[in-house]
């Protein structure tokens, strides 16, 4: 037959923002000398993988068909790595209480450019109300409809081009939400979408209240990968996050200039107690000295906080072609203890910091459109 499974070539998505950046870059370099250009290495966008499972979707094509329109992957578009979906007459997003035969996805969600996800329904509703005021799209004090009101699994709120969704606690819960979110964005024909997880975490070697922008999510062995068993076989996917987006968020924090913000690795664990080297769980199989050695080794490895969702979040966004970031505030420094001692009012203010940073970022992005 002559067909082989290949990684598709990318068809660039030229948005107005990207066109402006290209123009600005060209104007800055128009008077460069040959000597200056000789110091520039053009890598033809080569990609060097340091772990497996980061290839994304593939296409079946013959030799010489690399640039056939049907074999291209459009940059900025959502990629579904599941050929079986095309055969389905209806796709029911059960945990969202939405379906392709019962809802007009492009009409409802086609304008979405930013998706913010967080653990609790209350937190995401608060973020939706906050962004309503920041973008001047209504009265932030007014009630916002929960799109997923027909289910008790997740909550979803839409404010203009911003979607705010709760994901529950831990890898299993957020992975279910992400499967249905990615399909929702695909069915809605969304393009150039940025997805950001906002939440809380335990810090390592940094003051409580600091905000960590994740450069990469690492497992408890400090490896930047997400491991999953599929059909009895181990599948490993990369958990590196978008560096350009992380730097842009860090710059926004500098402009806000209200709280300490760092870029660092985030450790993602499978539970809250033993997996995070705590001494205050019902079960503990290690000494305090062993705990401290482990946390200090994590700090030396560049890890600045611990939570329970970032690895699968990064892995699934990578495979689906979504630009993604994780922004979490630290509620305590784990080198000083395991239990949170700050007052309720202080903790509430801490939890507002990620939403303030992400809200500022969204406003900046929208002003450039």
């Amino acid at each position: 037959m002559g067909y082989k499974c290949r990684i598709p070539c990318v068809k660039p998505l030229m948005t107005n923002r990207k066109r402006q950046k290209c123009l600005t870059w060209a104007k800055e370099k128009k008077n460069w000398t040959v000597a200056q250009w000789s110091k520039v290495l053009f890598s033809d966008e080569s990609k060097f993988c340091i772990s497996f499972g980061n290839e994304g979707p593939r296409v079946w094509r013959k030799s010489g068909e690399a640039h056939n329109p049907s074999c291209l992957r459009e940059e900025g578009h959502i990629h579904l790595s599941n050929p079986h979906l095309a055969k389905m007459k209806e796709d029911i997003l059960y945990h969202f209480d939405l379906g392709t035969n019962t809802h007009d996805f492009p009409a409802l969600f086609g304008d979405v450019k930013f998706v913010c996800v967080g653990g609790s329904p209350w937190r995401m509703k608060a973020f939706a109300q906050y962004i309503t005021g920041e973008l001047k799209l209504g009265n932030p004090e007014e009630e916002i409809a929960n799109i997923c009101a027909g289910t008790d699994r997740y909550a979803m709120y839409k404010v203009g081009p911003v979607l705010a969704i709760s994901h529950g606690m831990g890898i299993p819960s957020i992975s279910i939400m992400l499967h249905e979110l990615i399909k929702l964005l695909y069915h809605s024909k969304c393009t150039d979408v940025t997805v950001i997880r906002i939440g809380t975490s335990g810090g390592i070697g940094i003051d409580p209240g600091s905000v960590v922008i994740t450069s990469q999510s690492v497992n408890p062995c400090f490896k930047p990968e997400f491991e999953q068993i599929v059909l009895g076989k181990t599948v490993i996917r990369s958990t590196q996050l978008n560096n350009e987006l992380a730097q842009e968020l860090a710059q926004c924090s500098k402009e806000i200039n209200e709280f300490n913000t760092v870029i660092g690795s985030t450790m993602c664990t499978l539970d809250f107690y033993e997996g995070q080297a705590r001494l205050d769980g019902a079960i503990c199989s290690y000494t305090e000295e062993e705990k401290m050695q482990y946390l200090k080794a994590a700090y030396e490895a560049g890890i600045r906080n611990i939570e329970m969702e970032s690895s699968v979040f990064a892995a699934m966004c990578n495979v689906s072609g979504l630009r993604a970031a994780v922004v979490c505030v630290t509620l305590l420094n784990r080198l000083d203890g395991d239990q949170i001692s700050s007052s309720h009012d202080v903790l509430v203010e801490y939890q507002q910091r990620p939403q303030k940073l992400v809200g500022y970022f969204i406003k900046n992005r929208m002003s450039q459109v």
Side-chain angles (χ1 to χ4, degrees), residues 77-91:
H77 286 240
I78 313 302
H79 316 309
L80 289 186
S81 300
N82 182 358
H84 306 290
L85 291 173
K87 305 173 186 176
M88 296 168 53
K89 294 181 179 179
E90 180 182 14
D91 190 5

Side-chain angles (χ1 to χ4, degrees), residues 16-263:
N16 289 336
R17 181 172 178 273
K18 289 183 179 179
R19 290 189 182 94
Q20 186 59 49
K21 289 181 71 174
C22 288
L23 178 61
T24 300
W25 184 88
K27 288 180 177 179
E28 290 174 350
K29 307 295 187 295
K30 67 178 182 179
N31 294 321
W32 270 28
T33 64
V34 174
Q36 287 175 300
W37 282 115
S38 67
K39 298 177 182 179
V40 178
L41 175 65
F42 291 91
S43 65
D44 194 27
E45 298 185 358
S46 297
K47 179 179 180 182
F48 305 94
C49 294
I50 60 174
S51 60
F52 300 104
N54 192 31
E55 298 87 358
R58 290 174 176 260
V59 296
W60 287 95
R61 63 171 176 82
K62 294 180 179 180
S63 177
E65 293 184 340
H67 298 287
N68 187 310
S70 64
C71 299
L72 293 174
R73 173 173 69 83
E74 293 190 88
E75 184 184 14
H77 286 240
I78 313 302
H79 316 309
L80 289 186
S81 300
N82 182 358
H84 306 290
L85 291 173
K87 305 173 186 176
M88 296 168 53
K89 294 181 179 179
E90 180 182 14
D91 190 5
I92 298 174
L93 310 187
Y94 172 74
H95 301 89
F96 285 170
D97 193 34
L98 298 171
T100 53
N101 285 359
T102 56
H103 297 80
D104 186 343
F105 280 56
L108 290 170
F109 307 107
D111 62 338
V112 169
K113 295 297 181 184
F114 306 95
V115 180
C116 298
V117 303
S120 74
W122 172 86
R123 186 180 299 157
M124 298 322 294
K125 182 178 181 180
F127 176 78
Q129 292 174 318
Y130 173 78
I131 204 69
T132 297
E134 289 297 293
L135 300 181
K136 295 180 171 50
L137 295 176
N139 183 355
E141 302 298 325
E142 291 183 357
E143 191 69 17
I144 299 180
N146 177 10
I147 298 171
C148 296
T151 175
D152 61 354
R153 299 296 182 182
Y154 303 105
M156 180 189 298
Y157 304 94
K158 187 176 184 297
V159 179
V162 182
L163 205 58
I165 312 173
S166 67
H167 59 60
M169 187 180 294
I171 288 174
S173 183
I174 191 175
S175 68
I176 294 170
M177 185 280 295
L178 285 169
H179 274 282
E180 300 193 7
L181 168 63
I182 292 164
K183 293 196 296 177
L184 181 152
L185 296 173
Y186 176 83
H187 292 314
S188 303
K189 305 185 187 321
C190 295
T191 59
D192 205 25
V193 178
T194 298
V195 186
I196 303 178
R197 172 175 130 67
I198 57 177
T200 59
S201 63
I204 301 181
I206 55 179
D207 292 334
S210 298
V211 172
V212 178
I213 301 169
T214 304
S215 57
Q216 61 179 1
S217 174
V218 300
N219 63 21
C221 295
F222 308 164
K223 294 180 179 180
E225 58 188 37
F226 172 66
E227 180 178 313
Q228 186 173 10
I229 306 299
V230 179
L231 300 181
K233 298 178 182 179
T234 300
V235 176
I236 296 177
R237 295 189 172 115
S238 169
T239 52
Q240 188 75 33
L241 286 159
N242 188 288
N243 179 64
E244 182 181 358
L245 178 56
Q247 295 295 336
E248 191 173 349
L249 286 162
Q251 179 59 36
C252 287
S253 182
K254 287 181 181 178
E255 294 172 11
I256 295 173
N257 195 29
E258 292 183 11
F259 41 80
N260 179 46
T261 301
V262 300
I263 296 178

